[in-house]
Amino acid sequence: MPVTLPLVTFDPDLGLAVLRTAHSVYALRVAADGSPRHVYWGAPLDTEALAALPEAASPAASSFEADAAADELAPQTGARFGPAGLQVRFADGTRGAQWHFAGHTVDGGELRLRLEDRRRPLRAELCYRVRADSDVVERWTELSHAGAAEDGAADRRAPITVNRLDSASWTAPALPDYRLSHLVGGWNSEFQLQRDRLPVAELVLTSRRGLTGHHAAPWLALDDGTADEERGEVWSTALAWSGSWRVTVHRDPVGRTTWTGGFGHEGIGWTLRPGETLRTPVYGGLYTRHGFGGASRAWHAHVRRHVLPEPGRDRPVLYNSWEATGFDVDEAGQIRLAHLAARVGAELFVLDDGWFGTRRDDRSGLGDWTPRPEAFPRGLRPLADEVHRLGMEFGLWVEPEMVNPDSELYRAHPDWTVHSAHLDATELRNQLVLNFARPEVEAWAYETLDRLVRENAVDWLKWDANRPFTETCGGGGHDPDRVWIDHTRAVHRVMDRLRADHPGLRIEACAGGGGRVDLGILARTDQAWTSDNTDAVDRLDIQHGFSQLFPAQTMAAWVTDSPNPATGRSTPLRFRFHVAMAGALGLGGDLTRWSEDELAEAAELVARYKEIRPLVQRGVQHRVAPSGPVTAVHYAAPDDSEHVLLVRRPATRFGHHPAPVRLPALDPGARYVDLDLKREYSGAVLVGRGIDPRLPAGDYASSLIRLRRVDS
Ligand code: DGJ
């Protein structure tokens, strides 16, 4: 339901700002000390009621807690002892800002609060944006040095050190208890959902790797410990940043929980020069009373409407050669695979690592983006042309931010890496990181990729990044600390330029699997490679975690060989498909070793996926059986006309029959027909009792159930 009241109002007399989303309200007030303080975030309330609310103050009554109200961005001065969202140091050693409120602007759904330091040339704008068709409040901060380099007064021209500039600080209401949901993992085990009671402590979720990271995600959800998939109040936030980041959650001993987050990590400063503005990435937050499923659906809707560059475009069924060939790629072998991929219904053929320079393994060639002559003596164009002739698009793997020391690029530009000349550089996967913060490196990357795309009629780039940052420095006279932010900004810029200059080009985000998936990278890519672990059983958990924030169309999922190369587990082809069909389906096995029967079954299942693709990629996702021996996801057409259910049971227990799966999203007053069984059900039965999951006996059982609403 779109909002009809103004999206944003600001009452200058009360200093009260009210932001309305489709199903929630966010309110704050500028306090007497000039600092914006949190007032309310939750179910809709009218402005009169909000005006009567006090600021979210600390319940502790003593001089030790005097100023401890919840700031929208705590400035490290006053009696504030929680994690500061802004940490600055002036040239004379003074730390912290003291604000004077200098005014506001409202422009449609955007609110800006202007703050000026009472004595120093420092200004901040706390920025908010809401939209009528989303529940997300987007927030960011712009911090400016208001002095000038030529100013006579030394303190107006001296740079200001910014030790922390968060995008936003958030405050949960007083709840009887707090529980934190977040994502943890590692390579091959990304997006594991962790749901624990929040301790009375400061808890830091962070990445110090220069990448979003496999091990943590800049997303969290907070509830009082009683929410479930469909019910309960949930507050959830996600940072749109693809480099190092930090979110500090603080549950204090007197019962309040706040969290503050942004780019960078501890120990990294930004020297703000006179006249300069530092703008943070967007940190979005949403409130729902429809549980974790409601929170995910609200995120998915937001990502589709306001993050993804081309949400309406079908994600193609792709074939990727990596698990089939490793580095052992050549023209003949790839053409053989391309024919088989086309036969089973792939729409995009992606040539992965190993096609360039001297690259026969991970020891050399990275950085030399010209086809390897022994493998592609005629260049890549004949393969691209054959792929196109077969009716597929042509995709190419690249890893533009990295270099092997054993490469022509490194020999020509040893100073182009981020690594300090005064420390031994740690090689990971035999490679170093190129410093995209240097304009000449960014320019080289853009030109190289632009040439590759143009010369080889590339429709799709798989942009990989296989190591984190270590021993980072600026190089070439650049400020070493800026690398952490400027590198990521440059990666985003190169992707944006490529898309702008090659309309139609699509980009898949990858960092050794799901090491760089966030709302920042998804603003310039179409989907993300979820994990190098393609084992269908492990994928169930990975996909469950991924779906907390990201919609299914962004979740690349391949069907690969059995036994799985990562885990050695053998699973039936149908089970592997029914897991991968829950996202953007791909194939990644060695099709030359699949039997005729397997190829025929794969072709049938790919065809079936194309039928349900509009529902999976553009429908509304409900995790109807999120845990237990049977897991199921339900994708509903927004108008309730069509539904698909994917049910998976990795292991049978005691020979018990699986329980019916309830479908709470259906209309109890409607009737639905099972398109395969041709059997009709009442919606009330499917909502209240559930549908028989129709699982065959045994392990790795799965089913795909399609329902259509029957007009009465
Ligand atoms: C890591 C990626 O996640 C894989 O899919 C593959 O592209 C390899 N890199 C290639 O080196």
Side-chain angles (χ1 to χ4, degrees):
M1 185 190 35
V3 201
T4 43
L5 293 165
L7 292 171
V8 179
T9 53
F10 187 85
D11 179 332
D13 295 332
L14 297 174
L16 178 73
V18 178
L19 298 108
R20 295 185 184 277
T21 76
H23 306 96
S24 71
V25 169
Y26 189 99
L28 58 116
R29 183 180 288 124
V30 180
D33 70 352
S35 274
R37 301 273 170 78
H38 186 70
V39 171
Y40 178 81
W41 188 16
L45 276 184
D46 61 34
T47 306
E48 208 177 308
L50 290 164
L53 292 177
E55 290 152 19
S58 168
S62 82
S63 66
F64 293 101
E65 299 284 339
D67 276 356
D71 289 282
E72 290 287 290
L73 196 73
Q76 203 194 3
T77 49
R80 295 175 169 98
F81 307 102
L86 170 69
Q87 294 178 0
V88 288
R89 186 181 189 279
F90 298 95
D92 64 0
T94 309
R95 289 174 195 274
Q98 286 183 324
W99 296 131
H100 154 73
F101 180 61
H104 77 282
T105 51
V106 173
D107 181 7
E110 193 171 307
L111 166 72
R112 284 169 175 263
L113 301 175
R114 288 199 309 279
L115 310 175
E116 288 175 3
D117 190 84
R118 294 176 208 156
R119 295 175 189 80
R120 311 283 177 152
L122 183 70
R123 292 192 186 143
E125 291 202 8
L126 305 195
C127 308
Y128 298 77
R129 185 168 52 219
V130 283
R131 312 168 195 261
D133 61 354
S134 168
D135 274 320
V136 174
V137 179
E138 291 180 304
R139 298 182 53 191
W140 70 97
T141 309
E142 296 177 9
L143 188 74
S144 305
H145 191 314
E150 57 283 358
D151 208 299
D155 68 340
R156 294 196 56 84
R157 58 170 194 268
I160 301 167
T161 305
V162 183
N163 289 317
R164 180 164 181 164
L165 177 63
D166 279 349
S167 300
S169 305
W170 305 91
T171 302
L175 299 174
D177 203 352
Y178 292 97
R179 180 170 62 168
L180 180 72
S181 303
H182 61 119
L183 297 167
V184 302
W187 177 75
N188 257 9
S189 60
E190 299 87 335
F191 307 109
Q192 304 297 308
L193 181 64
Q194 195 81 20
R195 189 159 281 158
D196 300 311
R197 185 163 187 252
L198 190 64
V200 177
E202 287 184 19
L203 196 96
V204 181
L205 311 176
T206 188
S207 163
R208 304 185 185 90
R209 300 169 191 236
L211 299 170
T212 323
H214 297 83
H215 60 293
W219 165 88
L220 62 81
L222 204 85
D223 75 302
D224 66 359
T226 64
D228 62 21
E229 270 299 298
E230 299 300 322
R231 280 170 301 269
E233 292 190 294
V234 174
W235 292 260
S236 176
T237 56
L239 182 71
W241 184 244
S242 319
S244 289
W245 55 271
R246 179 180 42 182
V247 173
T248 309
V249 187
H250 182 206
R251 178 176 182 174
D252 72 18
V254 291
R256 190 181 44 195
T257 294
T258 58
W259 63 106
T260 183
F263 56 8
H265 57 263
E266 80 287 349
I268 303 293
W270 183 277
T271 305
L272 194 66
R273 303 182 194 112
E276 191 187 353
T277 296
L278 178 59
R279 186 184 199 271
T280 70
V282 166
Y283 196 7
L286 65 82
Y287 161 82
T288 178
R289 55 189 182 82
H290 299 293
F292 300 114
S296 296
R297 286 186 286 281
W299 278 122
H300 297 173
H302 178 78
V303 171
R304 285 182 184 152
R305 290 182 189 137
H306 303 296
V307 176
L308 291 173
E310 292 183 85
R313 222 169 142 191
D314 279 349
R315 274 49 183 163
V317 175
L318 69 77
Y319 176 81
N320 179 298
S321 62
W322 175 245
E323 282 198 18
T325 58
F327 295 99
D328 197 9
V329 291
D330 62 20
E331 186 183 315
Q334 293 294 301
I335 286 180
R336 204 162 38 247
L337 284 167
H339 279 253
L340 290 166
R343 196 174 134 193
V344 296
E347 298 158 314
L348 163 72
F349 181 88
V350 184
L351 167 60
D352 210 279
D353 200 348
W355 59 266
F356 49 88
T358 55
R359 185 87 161 168
R360 294 196 58 84
D361 51 38
D362 63 18
R363 286 193 289 269
S364 74
L366 204 52
D368 300 338
W369 299 107
T370 48
R372 182 155 60 83
E374 320 86 77
F376 297 94
R378 306 185 294 157
L380 296 182
R381 196 60 199 242
L383 171 62
D385 289 347
E386 181 61 4
V387 165
H388 287 138
R389 196 191 64 73
L390 288 166
M392 296 182 290
E393 296 189 298
F394 179 59
L396 192 62
W397 179 93
V398 289
E399 195 181 3
E401 299 151 81
M402 304 289 164
V403 65
N404 284 128
D406 185 2
S407 67
E408 293 307 321
L409 183 74
Y410 185 77
R411 283 184 276 277
H413 301 285
D415 56 328
W416 273 15
T417 66
V418 298
H419 303 272
S420 166
H422 309 292
L423 294 166
D424 296 332
T426 301
E427 286 182 26
L428 296 165
R429 213 193 190 209
N430 304 302
Q431 63 198 55
L432 301 172
V433 184
L434 289 173
N435 187 351
F436 270 40
R438 291 177 67 158
E440 66 274 35
V441 181
E442 179 183 342
W444 163 85
Y446 173 76
E447 281 153 24
T448 305
L449 294 167
D450 174 65
R451 175 181 54 75
L452 278 175
V453 169
R454 254 184 304 105
E455 289 179 357
N456 301 296
V458 172
D459 306 295
W460 176 282
L461 285 175
K462 177 179 174 188
W463 183 310
D464 203 348
N466 280 295
R467 59 154 294 164
F469 291 20
T470 58
E471 301 94 25
T472 304
C473 78
H478 296 269
D479 177 348
D481 280 6
R482 289 193 175 222
V483 170
W484 296 92
I485 287 172
D486 282 347
H487 179 97
T488 303
R489 284 176 166 172
V491 168
H492 285 175
R493 248 188 331 258
V494 172
M495 289 179 171
D496 290 344
R497 261 184 92 186
L498 284 168
R499 289 193 87 106
D501 294 351
H502 302 275
L505 175 74
R506 297 195 245 189
I507 305 179
E508 178 174 27
C510 175
R516 187 162 57 189
V517 194
D518 56 80
L519 301 186
I521 210 80
L522 285 180
R524 54 265 307 164
T525 56
D526 299 272
Q527 64 188 46
W529 180 222
T530 315
S531 175
D532 278 346
N533 185 343
T534 57
D535 177 298
V537 175
D538 286 347
R539 270 295 174 111
L540 289 173
D541 281 345
I542 292 173
Q543 296 184 178
H544 180 66
F546 189 95
S547 74
Q548 301 298 317
L549 172 60
F550 306 116
Q553 73 199 115
T554 65
M555 184 178 77
W558 304 346
V559 172
T560 57
D561 294 337
S562 180
N564 183 273
T567 63
R569 189 179 353 239
S570 298
T571 51
L573 191 61
R574 188 180 161 79
F575 180 81
R576 279 174 271 152
F577 263 97
H578 285 168
V579 174
M581 283 160 96
L585 177 69
L587 295 138
D590 184 355
L591 299 181
T592 63
R593 291 169 43 197
W594 288 22
S595 68
E596 282 299 316
D597 283 353
E598 284 174 316
L599 290 171
E601 191 182 355
E604 227 173 82
L605 287 158
V606 168
R608 182 46 65 99
Y609 176 74
K610 289 176 184 168
E611 286 166 21
I612 63 165
R613 172 162 54 190
L615 288 174
V616 174
Q617 296 195 3
R618 288 193 290 282
V620 183
Q621 189 191 60
H622 298 265
R623 296 179 293 250
V624 281
S627 56
V630 172
T631 70
V633 269
H634 166 201
Y635 300 90
D639 66 358
D640 190 39
S641 56
E642 305 272 345
H643 299 265
V644 65
L645 185 66
L646 288 159
V647 190
R648 290 76 50 109
R649 183 187 57 203
T652 186
R653 274 175 65 78
F654 314 119
H656 288 169
H657 296 298
V661 176
R662 288 187 192 195
L663 303 175
L666 296 189
D667 176 356
R671 294 191 70 75
Y672 298 88
V673 63
D674 182 316
L675 293 180
D676 299 298
L677 294 186
K678 312 280 184 245
R679 186 175 154 195
E680 221 175 282
Y681 301 95
S682 95
V685 167
L686 297 177
V687 171
R689 180 225 175 238
I691 193 164
D692 176 355
R694 297 218 307 268
L695 293 172
D699 292 344
Y700 313 121
S702 62
S703 63
L704 185 160
I705 299 171
R706 294 179 304 154
L707 299 172
R708 177 171 296 153
R709 184 180 173 129
V710 184
D711 280 322
S712 43

